[in-house]
Amino acid sequence: EAGVAQSPRYKIIEKRQSVAFWCNPISGHATLYWYQQILGQGPKLLIQFQNNGVVDDSQLPKDRFSAERLKGVDSTLKIQPAKLEDSAVYLCASSLGTGRFYGYTFGSGTRLTVV
Amino acid sequence: AQSVAQPEDQVNVAEGNPLTVKCTYSVSGNPYLFWYVQYPNRGLQFLLKYITGDNLVKGSYGFEAEFNKSQTSFHLKKPSALVSDSALYFCAVRDRSGGGADGLTFGKGTHLIIQP
């Protein structure tokens, strides 16, 4: 089966600019996650979707970050305006569902550098 | 709140020797526990998980981990290290009672370096 697809692989922007990342999960996976991995740290969950609804966005900096999954399939994560501390790898993951244990599959990530 | 501690930033092991990467966790209920490996410029690759049952879990590439509830630990082990095992390893936890919110909480990672 195809994996979790993310684009772009790399992005360099200046601070105060906006940026968007795209994720296409494994076909049929109802649950989608966005994680932020800052250099030297473990991934941190930003937001979890179940189909097109938000399950958990408690760690999403909502003043500058937004995410959507309009049709319950692919998702976009946006940062506006970007700050230097947003430099990180943004990982998307998907799972068949929740309520019982399903495995998680991670994409290769988008590496964002804010200068 | 749930948390994971990986006390070692780096572990150095000679090829052929056994290796251990340490992990302790904290959750309010019972845990699901995971180990992932990350190679440079790659995503996270699943190694193994503990859900329930036997405390010794076997996973990919000859790795295993032992769940110890009393010590709240889930150390990763391998009997004989390979140079190709050199990578960044993450331990992660999820509370079973989290309901629909089931994102993982990761440790900060441990660099495993296998010396020829």
Side-chain angles (χ1 to χ4, degrees), chain B residues 30-88:
Chain B
N30 291 310
Y32 292 135
L33 293 156
F34 304 79
W35 277 100
Y36 285 86
V37 60
Q38 187 174 45
Y39 296 96
N41 300 315
R42 302 283 294 275
L44 292 167
Q45 296 180 32
F46 171 78
L47 278 180
L48 51 80
K49 65 181 183 286
Y50 171 80
I51 303 300
T52 188
D54 289 342
N55 290 339
L56 184 63
V57 178
K58 295 188 181 296
S60 306
Y61 313 118
F63 284 94
E64 58 189 28
E66 186 166 12
F67 171 63
N68 188 317
K69 188 173 183 177
S70 63
Q71 297 185 4
T72 62
S73 67
F74 190 57
H75 301 330
L76 181 70
K77 300 182 179 184
K78 187 173 182 180
S80 178
L82 300 173
V83 172
S84 57
D85 293 330
S86 298
L88 182 58

Side-chain angles (χ1 to χ4, degrees), chain A residues 48 56 59 65 67 75 90 99:
Chain A
Q48 175 188 344
D56 182 4
Q59 299 189 92
F65 286 65
S75 175
Y90 291 85

Side-chain angles (χ1 to χ4, degrees), chain A residues 4-100:
Chain A
V4 175
Q6 291 189 247
S7 66
R9 287 298 309 274
Y10 305 94
K11 190 74 176 179
I12 301 175
I13 63 171
E14 296 182 348
K15 59 184 180 184
R16 292 186 291 273
Q17 286 187 323
S18 63
V19 65
F21 314 126
W22 175 80
C23 172
N24 190 22
I26 292 175
S27 177
H29 279 199
T31 310
L32 185 147
Y33 313 80
W34 284 101
Y35 288 84
Q36 179 193 56
Q37 184 178 11
I38 294 173
L39 186 65
Q41 299 180 20
K44 182 184 81 171
L45 179 69
L46 293 176
I47 189 167
Q48 175 188 344
F49 290 95
Q50 176 72 15
N51 297 309
N52 61 351
V54 175
V55 175
D56 182 4
D57 63 356
S58 57
Q59 299 189 92
L60 186 73
K62 299 179 185 66
D63 58 334
R64 296 184 300 106
F65 286 65
S66 64
E68 61 183 13
R69 193 184 184 201
L70 292 175
K71 296 183 179 180
V73 181
D74 55 354
S75 175
T76 55
L77 177 69
K78 298 179 181 178
I79 308 175
Q80 182 178 8
K83 293 185 176 181
L84 296 177
E85 59 260 37
D86 298 331
S87 295
V89 175
Y90 291 85
L91 294 166
C92 180
S94 69
S95 175
L96 271 172
T98 63
R100 56 169 287 186

